[in-house]
Amino acid sequence: MKESSFEVLKNDISISFRFAARNVISFILGMFGVLIVSVVLMAMIAVAIFVPIVFGLIEGIGMEGMIQFFTSFAAIWSTPQVSLMIGVFMLLAVFVLGPFMVAFGALFGMAREIVESEGTTAEGVFAWYRKKFFSLAGGGIILFLVVMWPIVLLILWMPGFVTGSLIGLDFAIPMVAILLWVVISAGMLSLLFPGIIDGLSALAAARRSLRLSRQYFDRVFGTWLSFIGIILLTSVVPLIGFLIVLFLVIPAMAIGLTRVYLILTDNVQETGSASSENPDFRLVGGV
Amino acid sequence: MEQPEQVAPMKDLEVITDPSIFKVLLDPVRADIVFKFLVNGAMTVKQLADVLGKNPGTILHHIDALKKAGLVVQERTQLTPTGIVQRYYRATAREYRMGLGEMMQADAGIARFAKDRLGSTVSALLAYGIDIPESETGQAMEILGRLIERENAVTSNIPIVDDKAYRKLPPPVRSDASRIIRRFVLEEDSRYRDLREKWHSFLRSHKKGGMRNE
């Protein structure tokens, strides 16, 4: 039951899409709601970071100095201090993307409700967003850093990769390596959010995801790559494709991965196979 | 290799001594989930949501909190023909008791709750013809509290010498065996016997007339 085959994979994908289609309204409303909350939260975080910096700079070096400070960033990018820039960029990206990662993770909460009980509500996403905020944010940061840091190393090692000076095979080989890394590392961590929703900490969920994806490589990667393929194929159609990916394929992926997680983390029985041979009668009182 | 953890058999009795676990159960929905349903057998989130009239998401959050508190475990998982992956949850014990001593030492809210609960129990004996005047309520609570604490201490940690055989027992048989042993170890404990005798003579001295069967 845990191992994959074409039939199992087909079944996993079709069940995921069926559940996603049945709950599409809840997903659309939930995603809109959580997106608004994320934008507001992101703006608040940005304000909390940038306002003190700007006021500090105005106070400290004046308006002229501040203009000089920001224009100096362009110069830094083309100098050996590019690593510093990337570090700052990564740090800001983690803070800014945090709320969106939590929003994405909260979709797995809706998916969990569907997989365990066949239904969800749009407002349910907010409960996951609020109750698992820090774990999901931690999971998002782990995912971001694991997927991104080798790419950063590559950029540091071959700066020409981003400045456009590399062409032909010199560009194609690192590009393919990056794509492979993104697909494989994100696939290995594809059960991270279902694990967090299941009550694990971000780190424990990451460890469990890595273990499960190694142990049941065919089932996890079969599901993951199928959804990546479906996303790529659907994205070919410009606007409608984007909407389908956003409101149907991504929810189906969350449902599919959650379902695989629940199946892989327990000894699953077919319905009806658990029967009680001992009716729960008590024989003994207070003897 | 990732293997599902083996779930410990349902205990017959668990004494809650950690005030933070007790606080988890102060939520009425969680108390209903545990005391009305999961102590009697395993149920899915959907089943609990239906009987409690709540949405499954809310129940999942409560189950998560109860699992973290160690009051609920996931017993088994079943796959339905429609593709639903049903997880069955049950309580870790058939009966939960408050560790009175620990609760009395806890923060003011819990200590007051434990004291009020003990006081109500003593007052409730009037329904059985045991009339304890207000001036002696404190004494009654003190004796009963010590008796309960001793009982909890003696019965909550009875060692199981053959865990393998214990796990194989069907739950009702395990429960009956547990009751027999609990009674036996209590009768063997001289401190418990003394406290019980003290409590019973206190009850006898306050009995009004005869007692009817329930």
Side-chain angles (χ1 to χ4, degrees):
Chain A
M1 181 165 290
K2 292 182 179 181
E3 280 69 33
S4 195
S5 67
F6 183 69
E7 270 309 304
V8 170
L9 187 61
K10 204 176 79 181
N11 200 32
D12 282 348
I13 304 295
S14 68
I15 287 170
S16 306
F17 273 98
R18 197 170 66 231
F19 285 161
R22 263 189 220 160
N23 294 280
V24 70
I25 302 292
S26 299
F27 269 112
I28 290 174
L29 293 174
M31 282 166 99
F32 269 124
V34 96
L35 206 66
I36 292 167
V37 173
S38 299
V39 168
V40 170
L41 207 61
M42 195 187 73
M44 283 164 68
I45 291 172
V47 166
I49 293 173
F50 292 117
V51 167
I53 291 176
V54 170
F55 274 99
L57 287 173
I58 291 173
E59 195 70 24
I61 56 176
M63 205 60 184
E64 281 295 311
M66 203 174 77
I67 293 165
Q68 254 184 343
F69 173 79
F70 280 110
T71 48
S72 68
F73 272 80
I76 290 172
W77 186 256
S78 54
T79 68
Q81 282 174 300
V82 69
S83 57
L84 177 75
M85 284 298 294
I86 288 174
V88 171
F89 169 77
M90 291 278 282
L91 198 67
L92 288 178
V94 163
F95 277 112
V96 173
L97 286 179
F100 290 102
M101 290 293 198
V102 179
F104 182 64
L107 288 183
F108 283 83
M110 290 178 87
R112 173 67 182 264
E113 291 173 21
I114 292 168
V115 174
E116 265 203 82
S117 62
E118 218 168 340
T120 186
T121 54
E123 65 267 27
V125 75
F126 294 106
W128 292 107
Y129 195 93
R130 187 167 47 86
K131 290 191 173 167
K132 299 275 179 190
F133 186 88
F134 291 107
S135 306
L136 290 173
I141 290 169
I142 289 174
L143 186 65
F144 182 74
L145 293 179
V146 169
V147 175
M148 291 302 287
W149 84 268
I151 300 170
V152 171
L153 280 187
L154 189 80
I155 293 170
L156 287 176
W157 182 46
M158 302 168 79
F161 187 71
V162 278
T163 54
S165 59
L166 289 180
I167 47 164
L169 270 183
D170 288 345
F171 178 78
I173 291 171
M175 193 65 200
V176 170
I178 283 179
L179 279 176
L180 275 176
W181 172 257
V182 169
V183 171
I184 292 171
S185 59
M188 298 283 281
L189 289 172
S190 60
L191 303 182
L192 169 74
F193 287 122
I196 292 172
I197 295 297
D198 198 26
L200 298 178
S201 68
L203 214 57
R207 275 201 296 265
R208 178 175 271 193
S209 179
L210 291 175
R211 240 187 349 251
L212 288 172
S213 56
R214 253 198 349 255
Q215 193 180 342
Y216 302 105
F217 184 83
D218 49 352
R219 186 79 184 259
V220 176
F221 271 84
T223 311
W224 168 245
L225 290 175
S226 302
F227 280 111
I228 293 295
I230 293 167
I231 288 172
L232 289 176
L233 283 176
T234 318
S235 305
V236 173
V237 190
L239 182 65
I240 295 174
F242 172 73
L243 292 175
I244 291 174
V245 166
L246 192 62
F247 296 122
L248 187 68
V249 184
I250 288 179
M253 184 170 78
I255 291 168
L257 291 170
T258 299
R259 202 170 161 275
V260 166
Y261 173 88
L262 290 181
I263 290 171
L264 296 184
T265 49
D266 201 2
N267 286 322
V268 180
Q269 306 158 336
E270 296 291 347
T271 304
S273 61
S275 63
S276 172
E277 289 171 11
N278 288 278
D280 200 359
F281 291 125
R282 292 278 178 87
L283 196 69
V284 178
V287 293
Chain B
M1 294 282 274
E2 175 88 6
Q3 288 298 330
E5 283 169 35
Q6 201 178 8
V7 187
M10 195 178 204
K11 289 183 203 165
D12 205 36
L13 169 73
E14 174 130 15
V15 180
I16 299 172
T17 53
D18 183 348
S20 66
I21 295 176
F22 184 74
K23 274 182 187 167
V24 171
L25 286 168
L26 287 181
D27 181 287
V29 179
R30 284 178 203 158
D32 278 355
I33 290 174
V34 175
F35 300 130
K36 279 193 186 164
F37 301 106
L38 298 189
V39 291
N40 298 318
M43 287 174 84
T44 66
V45 165
K46 175 97 167 68
Q47 289 168 338
L48 284 168
D50 289 346
V51 291
L52 288 164
K54 304 270 175 198
N55 75 51
T58 307
I59 300 295
L60 253 177
H61 292 296
H62 286 308
I63 290 285
D64 194 27
L66 291 166
K67 265 167 70 181
K68 279 194 179 126
L71 294 163
V72 162
V73 286
Q74 178 196 319
E75 193 187 64
R76 63 181 193 276
T77 304
Q78 282 187 350
L79 196 61
T80 70
T82 55
I84 297 290
V85 185
Q86 291 180 320
R87 281 191 163 178
Y88 281 81
Y89 303 95
R90 65 155 169 80
T92 50
R94 267 180 205 282
E95 186 188 337
Y96 291 94
R97 281 195 205 151
M98 227 185 341
L100 264 180
E102 291 81 1
M103 297 303 162
M104 295 287 199
Q105 302 298 315
D107 65 47
I110 291 181
R112 196 169 48 248
F113 177 89
K115 203 177 164 193
D116 289 351
R117 183 74 173 71
L118 195 60
S120 307
T121 307
V122 168
S123 311
L125 296 176
L126 185 61
Y128 291 89
I130 309 281
D131 188 9
I132 300 166
E134 222 174 303
S135 58
E136 289 179 58
T137 305
Q139 191 193 351
M141 283 166 63
E142 198 257 326
I143 302 171
L144 181 60
R146 281 169 59 203
L147 180 69
I148 292 171
E149 273 206 73
R150 187 64 200 160
E151 184 181 350
N152 288 344
V154 173
T155 56
S156 62
N157 284 312
I158 301 172
I160 292 158
V161 291
D162 188 348
D163 190 58
K164 223 172 164 182
Y166 180 75
R167 281 173 184 275
K168 278 185 190 163
L169 294 173
V173 176
R174 195 188 299 137
S175 177
D176 280 345
S178 163
R179 277 167 171 242
I180 290 170
I181 293 299
R182 268 162 62 189
R183 175 57 51 200
F184 174 68
V185 292
L186 279 176
E187 293 301 330
E188 291 291 291
D189 186 72
S190 58
R191 266 180 69 193
Y192 173 78
R193 284 201 311 268
D194 291 346
L195 285 165
R196 191 188 56 189
E197 189 41 47
K198 200 172 172 189
W199 172 240
H200 283 179
S201 59
F202 183 87
L203 292 182
R204 256 178 244 122
S205 65
H206 291 83
K207 194 169 76 174
K208 284 196 305 186
M211 274 192 199
R212 283 184 294 118
N213 278 338
E214 271 185 275

